[in-house]
Amino acid sequence: MPAAPAVPPRQVPPRPATAPAARRTAFAEGVDAVRAAATTEPGRLRIIGAVLALLVVAFGAVTAWQSSERAAAADDVLHRSQPLSSGAADIYRSLADANTAASSGFLAGGQETAASRDRYEKDIRTAAAGLVTAAANAEPGSPSEATVARLNTLLPEYKGLIERARTYNRQGYPVGGAYLRYANEKMQREMLPAAESLHTTENQRLRSDYGDATPYPWAAVALGVLALAALAWAMHRTYRRTNRLLNQGLAAATAATAVALLWLLVGHTVARSGLDGSYEHGVRSLNVLQDARIASLKARGNENLSLVARGAETVTVGGRTYDAYYYDFDRDLSVLGKGLGQAGRLADDRAGSAPVEEAEASMKVWKQRHAAARTEDENGNYQQALDKVIGTKDATGACFDSVDGNLRRAIAHEQGEFRQAAGDGRDAMTGLPAGAAVLTVLGAAAALAGIGRRLSEYR
């Protein structure tokens, strides 16, 4: 019997390769883990504890950050920007006073007093020292740095012109008056505008520091309220589920957070009040008083130069011709009067208003005596006019000294008012950043401990 034919083996088609499953991200796995944990009460408690701790710590961190920034800005107001602003005003005042002292000494001729010479030299030294301080605090490449450099160049040029004027004046040469007028022109057209620009820049820095120190820390306040609301909700939830009135950990966390939030609100409110007061009753008054003092110095310088020039320089206004320096004197005295009126309204106590009132009274006498001196000068009585300006009896110089001295007293008083108010504002935030950080860390730990107490009941 023939053998059966061999059956070929069945061909099994190869199975297609299976693509490896895509790996899930850690974030997705974490979300799944949280979702799974949220299905049980212990899991929910762990999530609640983590959220509470995170909110409380975030509140503390933002509070410490914002409080530190505002405290640093308040300290800059007190110890950096306002002193630099006052220093820039002192540079302006010293330059203007040096110019006035130089013209007064020139009018005295060969009998220039040692007091007049010393005053001029002291003003020059004060201006030079102020420029050194301004240069040390100017930002590299800033407009202030360029202004200080320009003033450092102009100051020795001005001094050289004054010394030439004095030398020729002592020798009786009329060219001395020309040098003095040229020095005055350099002062009025180049140096004082540069000093005013420096003062304006420093005032802008001061306003910027006030702007950084006074805004409310709304981000920290919002986080604090949110943290307290979350803690209150967690305590209410615990009470509903356990019928226990108090969870000690959550209560401690709430207390710590509330204390930190209250400290933030009260501390910043007091700080803001002090800083606002230092601006309203300190900086504003100082700016007005310094402008008034500068106006009095410029008026005195123009009064002296009117006698030096003897009508050589005129100005035409409204079709009428005036002696240039007499015209400038009237304008400066008008500015002085307005400044004194404004300073009197800003003064908030008798110690601040009394010197302003005395300066106003002296200014009125000054105007009367100046009118008499101008009449003598216009009538050709030069010596009589000179005696009424720099003489020892009933001269305008005594009135100017009274105005200047009283303004100096008023400025010193307002400077003290500023330091007191700004110091109180800065001190109100002392310890707040560190204190808030400590309280919120303790609060977060207490919240975790309170949740942990509940978790232990499930073990």
Side-chain angles (χ1 to χ4, degrees):
M1 183 173 180
V7 179
R10 184 179 179 183
Q11 299 292 324
V12 179
R15 299 180 61 185
T18 304
R23 295 195 57 181
R24 305 187 65 210
T25 63
F27 177 78
E29 292 177 354
V31 170
D32 287 346
V34 170
R35 186 180 294 114
T39 60
T40 64
E41 180 61 13
R44 286 191 288 269
L45 287 173
R46 290 188 180 92
I47 294 172
I48 291 170
V51 171
L52 290 176
L54 181 63
L55 279 175
V56 174
V57 170
F59 164 57
V62 174
T63 297
W65 165 53
Q66 292 193 313
S67 299
S68 296
E69 283 195 336
R70 283 155 179 76
D75 193 69
D76 283 343
V77 165
L78 182 61
H79 291 126
R80 182 178 173 84
S81 52
Q82 198 282 327
L84 288 174
S85 176
S86 291
D90 284 341
I91 291 172
Y92 193 114
R93 186 206 62 79
S94 297
L95 292 174
D97 193 50
N99 201 45
T100 299
S103 61
S104 297
F106 187 92
L107 285 177
Q111 291 77 39
E112 180 182 6
T113 64
S116 176
R117 177 79 184 191
D118 290 343
R119 180 171 181 169
Y120 166 82
E121 294 293 346
K122 181 181 178 181
D123 286 331
I124 292 296
R125 289 195 300 271
T126 301
L131 289 173
V132 170
T133 302
N137 288 279
E139 296 291 336
S142 66
S144 292
E145 185 182 49
T147 302
V148 171
R150 177 162 176 74
L151 283 170
N152 276 323
T153 301
L154 291 171
L155 188 59
E157 295 178 5
Y158 172 80
K159 285 186 64 179
L161 292 171
I162 292 296
E163 292 309 318
R164 288 187 181 184
R166 281 177 169 158
T167 300
Y168 288 125
N169 189 44
R170 283 193 296 266
Q171 295 173 358
Y173 295 144
V175 72
Y179 273 105
L180 182 66
R181 293 195 298 273
Y182 183 37
N184 175 72
E185 184 177 351
K186 182 176 287 291
M187 176 66 73
Q188 298 292 342
R189 295 188 179 182
E190 297 183 60
M191 299 177 70
L192 291 183
E196 184 177 12
S197 173
L198 181 63
H199 186 215
T200 300
T201 301
E202 295 302 338
N203 267 343
Q204 289 173 348
R205 184 190 299 192
L206 175 60
R207 285 193 294 270
S208 175
D209 285 339
Y210 267 109
D212 291 338
T214 54
Y216 267 104
W218 292 116
V221 171
L223 278 172
V225 171
L226 181 61
L228 282 178
L231 286 166
W233 173 83
M235 287 193 295
H236 181 68
R237 182 180 186 276
T238 301
Y239 168 72
R240 289 183 59 188
R241 290 177 177 271
T242 64
N243 206 28
R244 294 171 186 167
L245 186 61
L246 183 68
N247 180 295
Q248 294 179 347
L250 292 178
T254 303
T257 303
V259 169
L261 180 59
L262 184 63
W263 190 357
L264 171 66
L265 291 173
V266 173
H268 194 272
T269 299
V270 173
R272 180 170 179 157
S273 175
L275 289 169
D276 286 345
S278 73
Y279 187 85
E280 290 298 322
H281 305 298
V283 173
R284 286 185 63 195
S285 294
L286 283 170
N287 286 338
V288 171
L289 288 167
Q290 286 162 348
D291 289 344
R293 194 177 184 193
I294 288 167
S296 72
L297 290 165
K298 293 171 72 174
R300 180 58 177 173
N302 284 317
E303 185 177 47
N304 291 338
L305 286 164
S306 67
L307 295 177
V308 173
R310 300 193 184 187
E313 297 189 27
T314 60
V315 59
T316 301
V317 180
R320 297 183 61 184
T321 302
Y322 301 89
D323 180 289
Y325 296 110
Y326 279 148
Y327 181 83
D328 289 342
F329 171 88
D330 291 338
R331 183 185 57 191
D332 294 332
L333 218 63
S334 176
V335 173
L336 171 61
K338 292 177 181 177
L340 290 175
Q342 188 177 358
R345 291 189 294 272
L346 288 173
D348 58 346
D349 56 15
R350 187 59 188 164
S353 62
V356 175
E357 291 173 1
E358 293 177 21
E360 284 184 299
S362 297
M363 183 195 69
K364 292 177 181 177
V365 178
W366 186 3
K367 290 178 70 174
Q368 295 170 358
R369 294 181 180 179
H370 172 78
R374 180 183 293 190
T375 299
E376 294 288 356
D377 185 33
E378 291 174 346
N379 290 335
N381 300 322
Y382 178 79
Q383 187 58 49
Q384 288 84 345
L386 187 63
D387 291 340
K388 291 182 180 297
V389 172
I390 63 170
T392 57
K393 182 181 179 181
D394 296 336
T396 60
C399 299
F400 162 71
D401 289 338
S402 177
V403 170
D404 188 65
N406 281 302
L407 285 174
R408 183 171 60 249
R409 284 172 49 207
I411 288 173
H413 172 74
E414 296 300 336
Q415 189 73 41
E417 293 276 290
F418 162 79
R419 283 195 292 265
Q420 181 66 43
D424 291 344
R426 181 204 58 182
D427 293 343
M429 289 187 281
T430 300
L432 176 57
V438 171
L439 283 171
T440 52
V441 167
L442 292 176
L448 291 174
I451 296 298
R453 180 78 178 269
R454 286 281 294 120
L455 282 172
S456 66
E457 299 172 359
Y458 288 88
R459 297 183 184 128

